[in-house]
Amino acid sequence: MLSVRVEGKLTTEAYDELVPAVDKLIEEHGILRILFAMHDFHGWTCGAMWEDLKFDLAHWKDIGRLAIVGESKWESGMAVFCKPFTKAKIQCFDIANLEEARAWIGSE
């Protein structure tokens, strides 16, 4: 499982760090499960949105489960946005249910 925590606004620099790490994990372990936790999240810069789209297209089959954890205003929108770009099972959780998200990521 890969746990990613984001705060504020996502930038292209964040993807410059994330993408090589994810690529390495996929190479070493195959299909990943990702817990994406958002704290005080304010979206993406334009450049980061493009990087996210490229990431999603490149890894549409490499993610088995994606738990999106955060404030309710982002949860459903993120799930709807991500769904066309991945084969992953996606579930959203409120930030208060972080442990439930961790359990779901680890379950079959």
Side-chain angles (χ1 to χ4, degrees), residues 2-43:
L2 172 64
S3 183
V4 178
R5 179 184 165 114
V6 297
E7 292 185 33
K9 191 169 272 212
L10 274 174
T11 64
T12 55
E13 292 80 13
Y15 282 90
D16 290 344
E17 292 180 33
L18 176 67
V19 172
V22 169
D23 289 343
K24 182 177 179 191
L25 287 171
I26 290 168
E27 185 178 314
E28 292 173 357
H29 304 286
I31 295 174
L32 293 181
R33 293 175 177 218
I34 299 176
L35 181 110
F36 187 78
M38 301 175 293
H39 299 273
D40 194 27
F41 186 63
H42 298 284

Side-chain angles (χ1 to χ4, degrees), residues 74-89:
W74 287 106
E75 290 174 10
S76 59
M78 288 285 291
V80 169
F81 177 78
C82 292
K83 194 63 180 161
F85 302 107
T86 184
K87 290 176 59 177
K89 292 180 184 176

Side-chain angles (χ1 to χ4, degrees), residues 33 35 65 93 98-108:
R33 293 175 177 218
L35 181 110
R65 285 189 177 213
F93 298 87
L98 180 60
E99 291 309 312
E100 183 181 334
R102 287 185 201 281
W104 180 79
I105 279 288
S107 70
E108 284 302 315

